[in-house]
Amino acid sequence: MNKSKWIKVSAAALTFLGISATGMKPVSQTVNASSKRIKVVAKKYVTVWTNYQNGRHVATHAKKGTAWMVLQTAKDSMGNVWYRVGKNQWVMAKYVKQAVKAKKTKPAKAKSKNKKVKRTAKKAKTKAVSAVKLAASWGAPMGSRAKANAVVSLAKQQVGKAYSKGSTGPKSFDNTGLVAYVYKKAAGVNTGRSVKDQSKQGIAVDSTKNLQKGDLLFWGSATNPYSVGIYVGGGKYVAATGSKDGVVQTTLSSYFWPSKARRVL
């Protein structure tokens, strides 16, 4: 066998063993996605990693229903399939599913257009009300808007009730008892009974100025808070403040701004 043929055969053998013939480094198992890219959505609350290999770090977290275009696919050393969905952003394929394209519908006839619009609006309203009820009774999926709405609705219903140390409702509450009761009853989430436990729920909100309905607000030091409330939107929150005022809904103030927030839903 001449020298050039021997070099080609050796290079092929090294590549088969997972070794680069030039630099003796592992051959990348990354495979570019097809030119026709697919769209995927998260099936559950998903961790997004900076890479798919060993030594990866958390890039961010994504809620159920988050959608991405798959830019690249790869397999790790264990044979798990990964999708690259952004710059330094990878998700494991088993936690996502391919998005289903909406079926095209024929345009409605002019005579029945107004009736169909009214029926659609009525159905949408009915579904929205049903979603809130289902979230409170059956436990809607993690991250659903219905859960957040159910938490806010139930929290507001407790306004005016008495404060009682050690009480978890339904007639009276203490500070953490209110949070535990509302999240368990409306969303099926066990937050724990101490401020410390509740401050570890969910994920951290990047800024207390980017709040969403249902977020937990904490006062005191960021590492050792002493009080908690439920954000209900519009710059307001509900909390069991003490024996004098009981459960109240009040507006956030720059003089009493929360030290941190956690997104549980």
Side-chain angles (χ1 to χ4, degrees):
M1 183 182 295
N2 61 41
K3 186 176 181 180
S4 62
K5 288 184 177 180
W6 182 87
I7 290 173
K8 290 180 180 179
V9 171
S10 298
L14 288 171
T15 301
F16 176 78
L17 293 173
I19 301 173
S20 169
T22 56
M24 299 299 286
K25 295 179 179 178
V27 174
S28 173
Q29 298 185 51
T30 303
V31 180
N32 288 332
S34 63
S35 57
K36 187 178 180 181
R37 291 176 176 170
I38 63 170
K39 185 177 182 181
V40 295
V41 294
K43 293 191 290 187
K44 56 183 289 185
Y45 186 73
V46 177
T47 300
V48 182
W49 302 91
T50 55
N51 64 75
Y52 68 91
Q53 298 165 319
N54 291 335
R56 59 184 181 269
H57 300 283
V58 175
T60 184
H61 297 85
K63 296 179 179 179
K64 177 182 177 180
T66 302
W68 302 278
M69 295 301 296
V70 175
L71 307 177
Q72 202 172 27
T73 61
K75 280 188 178 180
D76 60 22
S77 59
M78 300 297 290
N80 297 308
V81 178
W82 292 76
Y83 293 147
R84 182 168 70 84
V85 295
K87 184 178 180 181
N88 297 325
Q89 292 186 331
W90 292 82
V91 295
M92 194 174 287
K94 68 181 181 179
Y95 296 131
V96 299
K97 62 182 178 181
Q98 187 170 347
V100 179
K101 292 183 179 179
K103 294 182 179 179
K104 293 183 179 180
T105 55
K106 295 181 180 180
K109 294 181 180 180
K111 292 182 180 180
S112 60
K113 186 176 181 180
N114 290 335
K115 290 182 178 180
K116 286 189 175 182
V117 169
K118 289 180 180 179
R119 285 200 298 269
T120 301
K122 186 177 181 179
K123 286 182 180 179
K125 185 177 180 180
T126 302
K127 285 183 178 179
V129 174
S130 298
V132 175
K133 290 180 178 179
L134 286 173
S137 60
W138 294 352
M142 186 69 166
S144 70
R145 187 175 298 177
K147 261 191 174 181
N149 288 336
V151 164
V152 169
S153 177
L154 188 59
K156 288 182 176 180
Q157 292 174 35
Q158 311 315 308
V159 173
K161 292 186 178 180
Y163 176 93
S164 178
K165 187 175 181 179
S167 180
T168 57
K171 294 182 179 180
S172 62
F173 302 89
D174 64 10
N175 188 240
T176 57
L178 173 67
V179 171
Y181 173 85
V182 169
Y183 270 80
K184 185 65 176 178
K185 189 79 173 177
V189 175
N190 183 8
T191 63
R193 272 288 282 126
S194 69
V195 179
K196 184 177 181 181
D197 288 340
Q198 292 173 355
S199 69
K200 295 178 181 178
Q201 296 296 316
I203 59 174
V205 177
D206 293 335
S207 171
T208 51
K209 293 183 179 180
N210 296 326
L211 298 172
Q212 293 182 10
K213 288 182 178 180
D215 286 352
L216 289 180
L217 308 180
F218 296 91
W219 288 266
S221 70
T223 56
N224 190 27
Y226 64 85
S227 184
V228 60
I230 301 171
Y231 185 70
V232 295
K236 299 180 183 297
Y237 67 96
V238 170
T241 58
S243 57
K244 182 179 179 181
D245 300 316
V247 180
V248 298
Q249 176 178 299
T250 187
T251 303
L252 286 168
S253 168
S254 58
Y255 298 102
F256 190 56
W257 196 260
S259 56
K260 71 174 185 177
R262 301 287 294 184
R263 187 155 296 151
V264 181
L265 303 174

